[in-house]
Amino acid sequence: MAAERTGGRVTRRRVHTRARLLDAAFEVFAAKGFGRVSIEEVCEAAGYSRGAFYSNFDSLDELFFALYRQRADLIAQQVADALAGEGPDLDVPASVDRVTGVLLLDLDWLLVKTDFLVHAARDPAVAQSLLEHRARLRGAIADRLARARGHTALPAVLGDADAAAHAVVAVYDGVTTQLLLDKDVDGARAWLKQLLTALLTDGSGNQE
């Protein structure tokens, strides 16, 4: 029993150490950019040694991907929760309101995400992992749109639910790219709402 308690303490300590390393890495990557950050800088920001780093991550690349996965999963869950209403009918304007109201639009995250996209573009293995995680976000959207088909009319030009989900994510990517430049979070949220409503309806908010 004592060994189990000790093991529990070690496990909790390890979880805490990993979380602190991820938080510190996020701050350092956002400030300096991936490729300009060393393991020593992450350890210093977290208040840990290199030994603590290597007990949790094999490399800076692995930490970077863990950080990306953490935030990407959060966004996918936000979208899934916002679209998880009961019943087959989809009130597009109301759903867009819910999604854009809760969606993470954090400038530091967008800087880190952009670094990761550039990194992935040069590394096929990383790119594949990134594509898999982006597919989860699209899947949350496509699942809700698919459940609405036959009950809620969507513009025919969008094709099937998967194609519509691709279009939604493309709008998000475009709006967040602009946000990186103008830093206007409120404007980005309003613009995202307007574009998604236009995309998924006839442009006026009507679904007929």
Side-chain angles (χ1 to χ4, degrees):
M1 182 69 86
E4 289 179 6
R5 287 199 297 270
T6 301
R9 287 197 296 271
V10 170
T11 299
R12 287 193 295 273
R13 184 165 64 247
R14 185 185 180 97
V15 168
H16 175 77
T17 299
R18 181 182 176 87
R20 180 60 197 140
L21 284 166
L22 287 170
D23 289 344
F26 179 78
E27 295 171 5
V28 177
F29 287 144
K32 300 186 67 174
F34 185 74
R36 298 182 177 87
V37 173
S38 66
I39 290 174
E40 287 77 11
E41 286 174 298
V42 172
C43 292
E44 181 180 355
Y48 292 127
S49 66
R50 286 175 64 92
F53 179 94
Y54 283 115
S55 70
N56 288 276
F57 303 102
D58 291 334
S59 65
L60 211 53
D61 276 13
E62 184 184 342
L63 181 149
F64 193 45
F65 186 73
L67 181 63
Y68 178 87
R69 183 170 59 243
Q70 180 188 70
R71 295 300 174 110
D73 286 351
L74 170 62
I75 291 174
Q77 192 60 54
Q78 288 176 330
V79 171
D81 289 346
L83 296 178
E86 296 295 330
D89 292 332
L90 179 65
D91 183 337
V92 170
S95 295
V96 168
D97 273 346
R98 287 196 298 272
V99 170
T100 56
V102 302
L103 195 61
L104 180 68
L105 292 177
D106 178 73
L107 287 167
D108 284 344
W109 156 242
L110 294 175
L111 286 169
V112 173
K113 185 186 80 165
T114 301
D115 275 346
F116 194 82
L117 287 169
V118 173
H119 180 54
R122 293 188 171 95
D123 187 323
V126 177
Q128 183 57 43
S129 295
L130 177 57
L131 288 171
E132 290 168 4
H133 284 283
R134 285 173 66 84
R136 181 184 169 192
L137 175 59
R138 291 197 308 273
I141 300 168
D143 177 68
R144 186 61 186 94
L145 294 177
R147 286 191 286 121
R149 292 186 72 84
H151 302 273
T152 302
L154 297 173
V157 70
L158 292 177
D160 61 16
D162 287 336
H166 271 274
V168 169
V169 173
V171 168
Y172 171 76
D173 286 342
V175 169
T176 53
T177 297
Q178 181 65 28
L179 175 57
L180 276 174
L181 300 176
D182 62 26
K183 318 296 186 193
D184 183 0
V185 175
D186 290 339
R189 214 174 283 281
W191 187 227
L192 186 61
K193 175 181 174 181
Q194 182 178 349
L195 288 175
L196 289 178
T197 301
L199 176 71
L200 296 172
T201 67
D202 64 4
S204 64
N206 297 320
Q207 294 170 230
E208 300 177 353

